[in-house]
Amino acid sequence: CKESIDIAIEVFKIKKELMNIQSLRFAKQTPIDINDKSKRAPPLWSLDNLPCCIGIVGLNEAVQVMCNEQIHESKKSHKLAVELLVKLQIEVINGAQKAGFKIAFARTPAETTAQRFAICDLKNGYKEIAKKYIKGNIEYALNNLGEKDLPIFYTNGAMISNDANINIFEKIKLEEHAFSAFDGGNIFHIFLGESNPNPEGILVLIDKIVNKTNIKYFAFTKDYSICRECNLMQNGLIEKCKCGSTDITQFSRITGYIQAIKGNKVSGWNQGKIKELEMRKKYNGDEV
């Protein structure tokens, strides 16, 4: 990881040099103040204040490789996850100081990266190790490595495994540590599926998350579907509408935002994210 961070910083330096020699006139202009012609506005954009970002994918699998347990499976594995995050955070901070510009440490959005890294590992020297820990349909992937879109992935960022069978409060305890290590970009997911929790219960949970945990950014996600024939919206990911139409567009949170999963004339999610969606632990009203 240290070597990867050093390489990323060298790429950032090259990128900044290229951006600095480009004109970008619209961003660098300093218009005259209409109320005082002796003053000019600051430029809209400044290269000096533009931070770079280094993110991670697959902390859960990295821990699993090292101690044969996922983050949620033992105190030892969770402790190792925290130690790895802190070490990476320190390396990014040190790298930024040496480079002389801002570098943020974050969880990558990973709409495609979680899948891409898994596919790359099956195609390079890590195949024999990686195939033991990659999530999804590994058997199909191994038999179809010529395809670009495969139903495999690594767990995003510092999250626990999507199918970890634990309650929401245990999930909070295991994931809240990441918010101290990351500068931003991290999110705590509460997947509700199609359930309709009591609003008062949701409010109580929000109060606890905000006031009693280190979680700074979180989202409740309900899956839903819209029929393009009759425009009926229904809870859950359905294949056929009550009107009989199969022209259905399904929606859920891909990572940080809601996006159509699949449907006619919809590009949708890649197969890795769809497989992750199938594995997600859903919390019903009683659990929340």
Side-chain angles (χ1 to χ4, degrees):
C1 287
K2 171 74 164 60
E3 293 176 358
S4 297
I5 290 171
D6 291 340
I7 292 172
I9 291 173
E10 290 304 309
V11 172
F12 292 152
K13 290 178 181 178
I14 295 170
K15 181 179 179 179
K16 282 180 174 289
E17 289 176 4
L18 292 173
M19 293 175 71
N20 197 41
I21 61 177
Q22 292 177 354
S23 60
L24 296 175
R25 295 175 182 174
F26 72 93
K28 294 182 178 180
Q29 62 186 355
T30 56
I32 297 174
D33 187 333
I34 60 173
N35 296 314
D36 186 348
K37 294 186 178 181
S38 66
K39 297 180 180 179
R40 303 189 75 94
L44 177 67
W45 176 84
S46 171
L47 184 61
D48 295 333
N49 296 323
L50 187 67
C52 299
C53 182
I54 292 177
I56 66 167
V57 173
L59 180 66
N60 180 62
E61 286 71 43
V63 168
Q64 190 178 10
V65 169
M66 293 180 182
C67 65
N68 293 316
E69 292 177 310
Q70 299 182 79
I71 292 174
H72 71 281
E73 291 178 328
S74 74
K75 291 182 179 180
K76 177 184 176 182
S77 57
H78 180 244
K79 180 181 178 183
L80 177 59
V82 175
E83 290 176 351
L84 286 172
L85 268 181
V86 172
K87 288 182 182 294
L88 287 170
Q89 180 190 34
I90 292 171
E91 290 296 340
V92 172
I93 291 172
N94 290 339
Q97 290 176 344
K98 291 178 183 178
F101 52 82
K102 298 177 183 177
I103 302 177
F105 180 46
R107 185 196 79 167
T108 59
E111 286 87 355
T112 57
T113 310
Q115 179 203 55
R116 183 172 180 272
F117 279 6
I119 294 175
C120 286
D121 280 353
L122 290 183
K123 292 184 176 182
N124 60 30
Y126 299 104
K127 178 180 178 179
E128 293 306 312
I129 298 176
K131 68 182 184 181
K132 301 176 184 177
Y133 304 101
I134 287 172
K135 300 291 189 293
N137 191 339
I138 185 68
E139 183 178 353
Y140 177 89
L142 289 170
N143 292 327
N144 297 274
L145 283 178
E147 297 180 13
K148 292 183 178 180
D149 190 10
L150 295 172
I152 55 174
F153 63 96
Y154 283 126
T155 305
N156 198 5
M159 290 170 57
I160 63 171
S161 180
N162 296 84
D163 60 352
N165 189 24
I166 60 176
N167 65 47
I168 191 67
F169 300 105
E170 290 173 313
K171 178 178 165 71
I172 287 173
K173 289 179 181 179
L174 293 173
E175 292 191 11
E176 65 175 335
H177 63 274
F179 288 87
S180 297
F182 290 138
D183 296 310
N186 199 25
I187 182 173
F188 180 79
H189 289 293
I190 305 167
F191 297 115
L192 300 175
E194 60 184 67
S195 65
N196 291 300
N198 184 296
E200 293 182 1
I202 290 288
L203 185 60
V204 170
L205 179 59
I206 290 173
D207 182 70
K208 289 180 179 179
I209 292 175
V210 171
N211 294 303
K212 296 183 179 181
T213 78
N214 194 44
I215 291 173
K216 299 178 176 67
Y217 180 41
F218 57 96
F220 293 90
T221 300
K222 281 192 62 173
D223 301 335
Y224 63 95
S225 304
I226 296 177
C227 175
R228 295 304 180 186
E229 186 70 27
C230 69
N231 294 321
L232 177 66
M233 185 174 77
Q234 300 179 62
N235 290 336
L237 306 177
I238 66 170
E239 298 290 341
K240 187 175 182 179
C241 180
K242 295 177 180 178
C243 72
S245 173
T246 56
D247 187 5
I248 306 292
T249 304
Q250 301 174 340
F251 292 87
S252 188
R253 190 179 304 276
I254 186 167
T255 299
Y257 53 91
I258 302 291
Q259 180 178 312
I261 301 163
K262 61 180 181 178
N264 296 339
K265 300 181 181 179
V266 174
S267 60
W269 300 12
N270 65 51
Q271 290 301 311
K273 291 300 293 186
I274 291 176
K275 197 65 183 177
E276 178 209 292
L277 175 66
E278 294 174 4
M279 295 173 63
R280 286 176 182 174
K281 161 76 172 175
K282 303 294 197 310
Y283 297 95
N284 60 39
D286 295 333
E287 290 172 309
V288 172

